[in-house]
Amino acid sequence: MAVFEKLPRHVAIIMDGNGRWAKKHKMKVAMGHRQGTETLRSIIRESSDLGIEALSLYAFSTENWKREAQEVEALMGLILEFFSSEIDELDEKNVCIRILGDKEGLPEKQRRALYEAEERTAANTGLKLNIAINYGGRAEIVRAAQQLAQKAAAGEIRPEEITEEMMARELYTRDLPDVDLMIRTSGEMRLSNFLLYQCAYAEFMFPAVLWPDFDLDAYHEALQAFGNRERRFGGR
Ligand code: FPP
């Protein structure tokens, strides 16, 4: 078991490179996502074993609907498969599952599986596993602003008294710590609308490896590098 001096409380991952991995292996893109799901399983397990507090994974963005119908279908299928095959083990490991994003915009079967997973694991006190599905960071912030505006209109709060913490409490991640470490695989260096508010002071890492090839050694390397970085949060 790897030992780390200083672990991030909250790790977020943009699992990029499934398509390129499939192309490299002369396979259909769906096979890249399938292989990527294997990586996701092992990273979740390892995060839980290491005692990381929160792990947020970007599985499907609001922009991903623009992909070919076949690919969207494959991803939706994998999401369903993942929840039915993993839920027992995750529950046993005391993992608490939360979906970030708009579940109402998903097909019925997926929506039901996600609600069930959240309900079943709601009282678990281990790893807080957040899976972003039909998620967009700006939409999340707009939704939070709307909720605060509604409270103000109802006379429950005063607009000039709104704080950063109040805003954070209206986000999908309401009670979670800010992101400490954001990893995007495949060498792309963009945030792509993921956890915009929560990443204000995050450390960013962009390993060149494609997501299906992101193994535990690569994960440990990122965690080790995080421990070596000096974080000042705007101070000296
Ligand atoms: C980005 O790779 C990856 C995605 C859009 C989907 C990520 C999904 C999974 C890893 C599996 C499904 C999720 C669950 C919860 C089971 P890309 O296709 O954009 O890669 P490319 O840039 O190389 O084309």
Side-chain angles (χ1 to χ4, degrees), residues 164-179:
E164 291 181 8
E165 290 71 28
M166 284 162 78
M167 184 77 182
R169 276 199 296 276
E170 302 294 336
L171 301 173
Y172 293 117
T173 48
R174 50 199 170 271
D175 47 350
L176 301 176
D178 276 352
V179 173

Side-chain angles (χ1 to χ4, degrees), residues 31-49:
M31 287 309 292
H33 292 313
R34 183 168 285 284
Q35 198 59 38
T37 307
E38 293 307 315
T39 303
L40 169 142
R41 284 197 177 93
S42 82
I43 295 299
I44 293 172
R45 210 171 287 138
E46 182 67 1
S47 303
S48 163
D49 291 348

